[in-house]
Every structure is written in C-alpha cells, then in structure tokens.
C-alpha cells in the first residue's frame, strides 16, 4: 500500500472513531427517584424534586443535547434537552441528573414534566422517534427511594438488574461485588481456548501492523538497499578473487601490536581501519568518532594501587 | 541466676534456631544454589545473585512481630517490596531496557517481527496447560507469562493477577532465562535440518537515525492503542528507546540504562528473593509452576522455529530465513539471540546470525509486553 493511501486511511479511521463516540444508543436511564423526601437532592433553586439520572456506558463522549425525555409513550418529544449548552456533552462512564420540576425554563437539566409512580420514563434519540432506553417506576415506590439499574460487570458496564435502592444521584451504580475478569472467564471460557485464540490474534495483529507500517514508511530505503545488494552481488560475480584479505594470522598480529602498548591515537586509528575493513555485517550508521579518555587516576583513587597484594 | 537463665531462654526464643523449620533450610540451600550457579557458571548473575541472597534473607527464621519481615507492614523490606507488589519496578526496568536496546535489527528487517509474535505461543500454551491443571484463569495467565521469557513482565503481571504465586513465577522465569542455552539448543537442532542451518541471510541494510527516532513513537502508538493495558511496560520501553535514539538526551539515557536499572534490578531481585518464604514457596503449586514454566519455554522455542520453517515455504531463494533465529523470538534479550549465533557458528564458521536474531529478540520483548497487556485486560 502506498504512503498516499495510508494518509487517506488514517483520517478516515479517525473520523469513523469520532462518529462512533457520538452514539446516543450508549446512553441509559440509570436511576429514577420519583417521590422526594426530606433527605432528597436539592436543585439549584433549593427545591426537592424527583429526578432522572442518565449514564453514558461508552468509552467515548456522547452529546445528549437534542435528545428527549418523556413519561408519555404517545408524546416522545415532551421534554427536549437543550442543544445550546455545552455541558450536555457526557464523558465516558459519566452520569447526569435531570430534575423533574415540571418547568423546563429552570435550566438545561430540568424536565417539563413531574415524575409520578407507576409511569415509565423514556429516553428518546435526537431524531424524536427512536427509543433509546426506558425505566418503569413501580406504583408503590416509597418516598425517598429510587429505582436503579445496577452494573455487576464494572468493566463492560452491563446493567443487568433493576431494583429499588437508596438514591445515589450522579454516582455509578455498582452492584455489590463486581465479577472480576478471571471469574467471568472461568465461567464463560473454562478451557481457555477463546482467550488464547483472541490473544494470539491480537499479538499477531499488533506486530503485523507494526511490520506493515515500517515496511510502508521506509519502502524507499528498503528498495535502495535491495538494489545496492543486487549491484554488489553482480560486482562480486564479475570481479576477480579478492587478494590481501585479513586472515587469522594478520588479525592476530594486529591484535598483538595493539596489545603491546601503542599510543591511544594509533590504537584508535588501527581500530577504525579494522572496523571499516572487516565490517561486512555493519548495519548501523556509526559516527566513527572515537573519544579517548585518558586514565588520570591518582594515588588516592587508583584501584590497582589500593589493592592488597595477594600472598602466594 | 534464675533471672539470667530466664533472659537467656527469652533470647533463645528470638533466635532463628528456635523458630526454624526444615523448609527454611531447603530454601536457604536453594538460595545458595542460585548464587553458586551465578558465580561459577555465570548464568544471569545480575539476577540470580540478588534473588539467591534474597532467598536467604527471606528464609531466616524469625520471631514474628518484630516488624522486620517482608510481609510485615512498614518494615524496611516491606517498603522495598512495594515496588514489586504495586508493580512499579518492572516499568522502570523496561525504561532501562528501552534505553539499552538497539532496534536497528528489527527496523532493517521488519518481517522478522512476526517471529517475535509466533514465540508468544509459549505464553498461551502454558495458559491452557495451567487451566487443565486446575489453576484459576488469573493464576493461569500469570503462570503463562513465564513463556514470555521476560522477568520484569512476569513480575508485573503476576503482581496484578496472582500475587500469591509471584515468588514462584519470578524465580521460575529467571531460572529458565538463565537456562536458555540448555533448553533451546536441543529443540533447535531437533527441528531443523543441516541444510536449513546453513541458510545465509542477506546482509541487513543500514538504518538511519531518523528511522531509529521514529520507531519508538510509531511502535508505542501502534501497540498502546491496540493494548492500552500494556501501557506501563510499552510506554516505558519505547520512552527509554527514544531517550537513547533522540541524540539529545544522552544523559537521561545513560542514567536509565546504567545506574537506574542497576538500582532497580538489585531491589527487584532482592525483594523477589525475600518474598519466597518457605511457607509460601514450598508448595505443590510451585512445583507445578516450575514444570509449566519449562513447558512454556519449550513451546515458545518450538513455535518460533516452526514459524520460520513455515515462512520459508513461501519465501523465494535468497530471501529465506535461517530457522536457527526462530528461538530468539522468546525475548530473553540477548541470551536467546546469542544461542542462535553459537548454534549457527557450529555448522558454518562464517554464518553470523547474531544481528539477524536480535530482530525477533527485541520483537519478543514488544510481543510479551503486548501479551501481558492482553492478559491483564481480560483477567484483571
């Protein structure tokens, strides 16, 4: 794939991800408290109203502006959530409370209807037709109690149970002790084949993508290298047998010369020359800058002088 | 006189002799064994010496309540152990590894990266076997990661998934990493033909500084977006590498790859060793973990070599890969790459495989961190 296609693909992916992040179907009505008591939540005007809590179950931000709340199945557009307020953008795993004051002019987070036991509350998508979620309020619900959906899987945020509870406005409705991933897998995948298959695929995909990205990004460098290799092979095939290769004896002689205490600069020069001569497997771009740090130890810090002589 | 005898008796109660059991001596003997092997055979001495001595420290029988034991809150050892327990030593070690690692071998031949993925089968093979032996999925995941042949990753994951088994898992991982030449060589020879061992791979191309700088950034973005749960390890690994390759943070890279990793390695080795107290370590589960750890190394090596052999079926002549580098996908940097080099030279004195093997070797580090992230995501 060419680099051009890559550049087209990346923005397309980003756009699709962003589009997914705006999906109102990830919203749920997580809790409803229809009849307030003296301990209930007070709104911005100091009044205790019933309230409806919405929760964003997704990992992305969802804008609830333009969606509707209603308690009447035949009037789905009863109470529209303002589109003009930026605070209607609900972050991942965030909740928001709407006060059922019956007067929407109180603010963005107020509904045009009051809550009554025995009704069902609906959340309607911004098209005004699609039902996103609903929650039925039992008729005999005591004052100060709420009806809430609880998540027993904190990771997947699957709200599996709906029951009466003490109100927890704007808080995550964790249902007691959550099931850990290991417990869930012990139940769903006791032999481990699914996890193995998925994990192996993910590892391969991650590294495959890395390979593909690098192969695509440095295509020209790879091509150049292949061409150089071919040219080198052809040259080698045509050229006469090489003379004067450094054989074992020569290498040993050079090593002995280095060992015999030549000057640092001489040693560095021989070292560099040998590196360039012998390095047929070099693959790094070396700077070939040799820094010589002379041993400047004094009597005080010279390790060798401070060693105790070994008694033989 | 009676008071003196009472005092002596009381003192006796505080001594190790009064509180010891035969299990303590077994563990001390294992610790001494580790130190001996590390000094005489030079098998992973930087790890086996601290772990071995830690085993001795951790198994000195003592009177409980003195607030000195590793499992006693607030003690010095307990404070140092928090780095293992909370999992912040392993990412620091990964920072140092990143600052030491040269990814050129991988960048110049990106196709070799898949060998690193194939060798991660050892992790999942051991996971399946652990489940079959009755371990819980979280324990099986922690045991499986031994197959990643990566000590810090094994400690990181086991501290999150199965803290009770961490001592056995860490010791098992480091022991088998030290035994890589012993375990891998026979498998490599058994699975390859003489003709395959003589395959000469084309010379890798030169890698520019620009590529080396781009690699950690792209590598991190790709892997972290796919497996965010591997963030602590992957982030530190690639960050360390960027420090090394950027060319402008040499001081930081030197510290990360030198003094810092030395300090953390010493502490992690010592505290992991200390955590292997006899009553927690000498159990049937530890024996099973050692067995499964060995199997995971065998599976990883086998899969790496077989993957190369399979890939060669589809590769043109001149582009074939020497299957002797398949073992290097199991991480264990650079020991497994060294095994490839040594075994390769046994059959052709001019066939140097080290630089080729370093590709899958460092890919194995990335692969095992990704695998750990996946397991943590599913089982955490």
């Amino acid at each position: 794939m060419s680099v051009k296609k890559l550049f087209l693909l990346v923005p397309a992916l980003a756009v699709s991800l962003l589009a997914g992040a705006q999906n109102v179907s990830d919203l749920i009505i997580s809790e409803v408290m229809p009849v307030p008591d003296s301990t209930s939540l007070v709104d911005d005007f100091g009044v205790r109203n019933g309230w409806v809590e919405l929760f964003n179950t997704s990992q992305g931000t969802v804008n609830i502006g333009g969606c509707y709340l209603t308690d009447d199945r035949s009037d789905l557009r009863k109470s529209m959530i303002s589109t003009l307020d930026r605070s209607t953008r609900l972050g991942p795993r965030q909740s928001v409370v709407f006060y059922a004051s019956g007067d929407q002019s109180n603010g963005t987070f107020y509904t045009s209807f009051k809550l009554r036991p025995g009704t069902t509350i609906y959340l309607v998508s911004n098209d005004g037709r699609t039902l996103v979620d609903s929650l039925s309020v039992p008729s005999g619900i005591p004052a100060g109690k709420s009806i809430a959906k609880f998540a027993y899987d904190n990771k997947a945020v699957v709200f599996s149970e709906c029951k009466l509870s003490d109100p927890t406005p704007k808080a995550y409705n964790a249902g007691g002790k959550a099931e850990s991933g290991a417990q869930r897998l012990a139940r769903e995948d006791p032999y481990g084949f699914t996890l193995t298959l998925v994990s192996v695929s993910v590892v391969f995909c991650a590294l495959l993508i890395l390979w593909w990205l690098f192969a695509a990004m440095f295509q020209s460098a790879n091509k150049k290298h292949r061409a150089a290799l071919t040219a080198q092979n052809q040259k080698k095939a045509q050229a006469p047998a090489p003379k004067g290769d450094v054989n074992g004896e020569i290498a040993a002689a050079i090593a002995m010369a280095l060992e015999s205490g030549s000057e640092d600069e001489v040693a560095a020069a021989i070292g560099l020359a040998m590196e360039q001569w012998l390095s047929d497997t070099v693959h790094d771009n070396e700077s070939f800058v040799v820094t010589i740090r002379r041993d400047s130890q004094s009597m005080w810090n010279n390790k060798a002088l401070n060693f105790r002589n070994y008694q033989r | 006189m009676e008071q003196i005898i009472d005092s002596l008796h009381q003192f006796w109660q505080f001594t190790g002799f009064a509180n010891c059991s035969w299990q303590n001596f077994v563990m001390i003997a294992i610790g001494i064994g580790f130190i001996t092997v590390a000094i005489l055979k030079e098998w992973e001495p930087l790890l086996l010496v601290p772990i071995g001595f830690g085993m001795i420290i951790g198994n000195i029988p003592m009177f409980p309540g003195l607030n000195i034991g590793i499992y006693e809150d607030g003690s010095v050892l307990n404070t140092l152990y928090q780095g293992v327990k909370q999992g912040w030593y392993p990412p620091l070690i990964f920072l140092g590894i990143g600052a030491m690692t040269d990814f050129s071998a991988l960048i110049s031949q990106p196709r070799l990266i898949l060998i690193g993925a194939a060798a991660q089968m050892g992790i999942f093979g051991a996971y399946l076997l652990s489940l079959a032996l009755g371990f819980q999925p979280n324990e099986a995941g922690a045991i499986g990661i031994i197959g990643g042949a990566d000590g810090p990753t094994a400690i990181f994951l086991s501290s999150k998934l199965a803290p009770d088994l961490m001592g056995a898992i860490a010791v098992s991982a480091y022991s088998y990493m030290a035994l890589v030449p012993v375990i891998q060589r026979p498998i490599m020879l058994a699975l390859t033909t003489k003709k395959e061992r003589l395959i000469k791979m084309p010379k890798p191309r030169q890698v520019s500084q620009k590529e080396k700088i781009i690699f950690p950034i792209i590598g991190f973005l790709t892997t972290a977006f796919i497996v965010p749960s591997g963030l602590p390890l992957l982030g530190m690994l690639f960050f360390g590498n960027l420090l090394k390759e950027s060319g402008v943070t040499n001081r930081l890279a030197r510290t990360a790859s030198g003094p810092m990793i030395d300090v953390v390695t010493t502490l992690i080795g010592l505290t992991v060793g200390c955590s292997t107290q006899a009553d927690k370590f000498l159990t049937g589960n530890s024996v099973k973990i050692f067995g499964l750890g060995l199997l995971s190394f065998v599976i990883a090596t086998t899969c790496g070599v077989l993957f190369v052999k399979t890939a060669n079926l589809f590769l043109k002549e001149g582009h074939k890969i020497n299957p002797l580098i398949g073992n290097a996908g199991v991480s264990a940097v650079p020991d497994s790459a060294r095994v490839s080099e040594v075994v390769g030279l046994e059959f052709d004195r001019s066939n140097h495989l080290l630089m080729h093997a370093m590709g899958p070797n460092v890919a194995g580090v990335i692969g095992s961190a990704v695998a750990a992230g996946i397991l943590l995501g599913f089982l955490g």
Side-chain angles (χ1 to χ4, degrees):
Chain A
M1 183 180 281
S2 67
V3 178
K4 210 174 175 181
K5 280 181 185 170
L6 186 73
F7 279 113
L8 285 173
L9 191 67
V10 171
L13 267 171
V15 167
S16 64
L17 283 172
L18 284 173
Q22 296 289 332
N23 198 347
V24 292
S25 64
D26 292 322
L27 293 169
I28 59 160
I29 301 174
S30 52
E31 193 170 357
V32 174
M33 208 286 296
V35 189
D37 67 359
S38 58
T39 60
S40 296
L41 196 65
V42 177
D43 70 9
D44 299 334
F45 302 94
V47 180
R48 295 184 204 280
N49 287 305
W51 45 262
V52 178
E53 183 190 70
L54 302 185
F55 182 78
N56 173 14
T57 60
S58 75
Q59 295 278 18
T61 301
V62 178
N63 190 354
I64 56 172
C67 293
Y68 301 86
L69 281 167
T70 179
D71 61 350
D72 185 354
R73 187 77 170 83
S74 60
D75 182 9
L76 294 180
R77 300 187 179 205
K78 196 168 183 178
S79 181
M80 191 181 107
I81 301 168
S82 171
T83 52
L84 304 172
D85 192 340
R86 281 186 64 79
S87 57
T88 53
R89 291 171 67 84
L90 210 53
R93 311 283 159 89
Q94 262 188 6
S95 54
V96 64
V97 164
F98 284 84
Y99 298 103
S101 65
D103 182 1
Q104 217 174 355
S105 65
N106 286 344
T108 304
F109 298 102
Y110 291 83
T111 63
S112 62
F113 57 90
K114 280 184 174 283
L115 293 174
R116 287 168 290 121
T119 54
T120 301
I121 311 301
Y122 301 96
L123 173 66
V124 183
S125 177
N126 46 13
D127 61 5
R129 290 189 303 274
T130 315
L131 279 180
V132 177
D133 194 30
S134 65
L135 185 64
S136 296
V137 183
S139 53
I141 188 167
K145 289 280 179 189
S146 68
I147 177 87
K149 289 175 186 164
F150 285 91
Y152 284 88
D153 183 343
N154 289 344
K155 267 194 181 165
V157 193
V158 178
F159 287 81
S160 51
E161 196 178 350
C162 185
K163 60 179 184 183
L164 272 182
S165 78
D166 291 324
T168 55
K170 298 178 190 172
Y172 177 64
N173 301 340
K177 202 176 173 204
E179 189 181 42
S180 71
Q183 285 167 331
R184 190 169 51 81
L185 275 174
R187 185 166 43 80
E188 292 174 359
D189 184 24
Y191 302 108
F193 293 120
T194 311
L195 175 71
T196 301
L197 200 66
V198 172
S199 305
V200 170
S201 314
V202 174
V203 172
F204 264 95
C205 283
L207 297 186
L208 202 65
I209 291 170
L210 213 54
W211 170 29
W212 172 72
L213 273 175
F214 269 85
M217 284 171 74
F218 301 112
Q219 211 172 17
S220 61
N222 286 327
K223 257 186 195 167
K224 225 183 265 176
H225 172 66
R226 273 198 294 271
L229 263 184
T230 318
Q232 200 183 359
N233 287 341
Q234 282 170 353
K235 207 174 161 188
K236 214 184 250 180
Q238 289 160 3
K243 285 177 186 173
D245 273 353
V246 177
N247 56 29
E249 287 76 15
I250 296 171
I254 295 171
M256 282 169 71
L258 285 171
E259 186 65 28
S260 66
S262 51
E263 290 293 315
D264 289 339
E265 286 80 359
V266 177
I270 296 173
L272 280 179
M274 282 187 72
E275 165 73 18
Q276 285 186 320
W277 179 262
L278 294 171
S279 59
D280 63 340
T281 55
V282 66
H283 82 149
D284 274 4
N285 275 329
E286 300 290 350
S287 65
F288 289 106
V289 175
V290 175
T291 308
I292 299 168
R293 287 204 184 93
R294 295 189 194 284
D295 189 0
S296 58
Q297 286 175 330
S298 71
M299 286 291 283
W300 296 100
N301 65 358
N302 190 325
K303 264 188 182 175
L305 289 176
N306 286 317
F307 279 153
R308 205 152 48 96
N309 283 332
Y310 186 61
Q311 301 295 323
R312 289 178 187 275
Chain B
M1 187 63 189
E2 201 175 311
Q3 203 179 351
I4 293 171
I5 292 170
D6 273 354
S7 298
L8 284 173
H9 181 71
Q10 203 179 346
F11 174 72
W12 171 256
Q13 294 301 317
F14 277 105
T15 62
F17 298 107
N19 296 292
C20 69
S21 64
W22 65 268
Q23 287 99 330
N24 291 121
F25 289 110
V26 171
M27 289 306 299
I28 289 171
I30 294 174
I32 292 172
F34 270 47
I35 295 170
T36 311
V37 167
I39 294 171
L40 294 183
K41 298 270 182 184
E42 289 193 31
W43 286 350
E44 296 273 345
L46 298 181
L47 289 159
L48 291 192
V49 169
I51 290 178
F53 202 79
M55 280 179 166
I56 298 173
I57 294 176
N59 284 284
I60 297 296
M62 59 189 173
F63 191 80
L66 296 175
N67 213 26
I68 50 172
I70 195 161
Y71 293 112
E72 291 182 280
D73 280 343
S75 70
V76 174
L77 286 175
N78 183 267
T79 306
L80 295 176
Y81 186 53
Q82 293 307 310
V84 175
K85 208 173 161 190
Q86 306 293 335
W88 44 267
Y89 285 156
L92 288 177
I93 291 188
F94 260 63
L95 178 68
I97 293 173
M100 282 182 196
T101 307
D102 183 359
F103 282 102
S104 311
L106 191 62
I107 301 169
S108 62
Q109 302 182 82
R111 63 185 181 143
L112 300 183
I113 204 168
L114 288 184
I115 303 173
Q120 303 313 314
M121 282 300 291
I123 295 175
F124 301 107
Y127 171 75
L128 292 175
L129 290 170
S130 305
L131 284 179
L133 282 178
F135 284 100
Q136 288 301 304
N138 55 323
E139 295 171 333
I143 295 167
I145 203 69
I146 298 172
D150 198 327
T153 310
I155 291 172
F156 178 76
L157 196 68
S158 54
S159 70
K160 305 274 179 203
L161 295 182
D164 290 345
L165 303 180
M166 193 184 59
I169 289 170
V171 172
S172 170
Y174 280 122
S175 306
Y176 291 128
M177 278 165 67
L179 292 171
V180 151
V182 182
I183 298 169
Q184 290 195 324
R185 190 177 175 278
I187 300 170
M188 291 158 71
L189 295 181
L191 293 177
T192 52
T193 62
K194 198 177 174 194
K195 193 183 163 197
E196 285 172 329
R197 290 174 216 145
L198 295 175
I199 291 175
K200 278 204 172 179
M201 294 172 66
K203 192 170 74 173
R205 72 174 171 83
Q206 289 190 336
V207 175
S208 69
Q209 194 65 20
K210 193 172 83 181
E211 288 172 277
K212 287 183 183 180
I213 293 170
I214 291 172
F215 179 79
I217 299 169
I218 297 288
F220 173 66
L221 286 175
T222 311
T223 50
F225 267 91
I226 295 172
V227 195
S229 42
L231 211 58
L233 298 177
L234 292 166
M236 288 299 205
L237 178 75
F238 287 116
F239 171 55
N241 192 245
L242 185 62
L243 290 181
K244 174 180 181 281
E245 302 298 358
S246 68
V248 290
T249 52
N250 290 340
R251 267 177 58 195
L252 301 184
R254 265 201 307 274
T255 306
S257 62
M260 197 205 68
I261 199 169
D262 289 348
V263 169
V264 182
T265 304
T266 310
L267 291 177
I268 204 170
L270 191 76
T271 48
V272 162
C274 284
S275 70
T276 59
Q277 288 184 353
D279 54 336
K280 293 183 187 292
F281 193 81
L282 288 180
T283 61
N285 275 350
S286 296
V287 178
K288 284 184 198 169
I289 288 168
F290 270 79
L292 288 164
L294 176 63
L295 281 175
S296 69
F297 268 67
V298 171
I299 296 169
T301 309
T302 306
C303 288
V305 175
L306 289 181
F307 179 80
V308 177
K309 282 170 72 92
T310 313
N312 277 346
L313 297 175
F314 304 97
L315 292 172
K316 282 185 225 158
E317 206 57 52
H319 293 273
K320 288 195 187 297
I321 304 168
N322 191 319
L324 290 180
I325 69 166
N327 70 302
V330 305
S331 199
V333 183
D335 289 6
S336 51
R338 223 178 274 153
V339 175
S340 304
E341 165 83 359
V342 171
V343 179
L345 287 178
E346 273 179 38
F347 295 91
D348 180 353
R349 294 297 303 164
S350 65
N351 197 4
H352 291 279
L353 294 173
L354 185 67
M355 285 320 292
H356 298 293
M358 280 308 289
N361 211 189
V362 291
V365 178
I366 301 171
S368 58
V370 169
I374 298 167
L375 289 173
L376 192 61
F378 277 109
L379 301 167

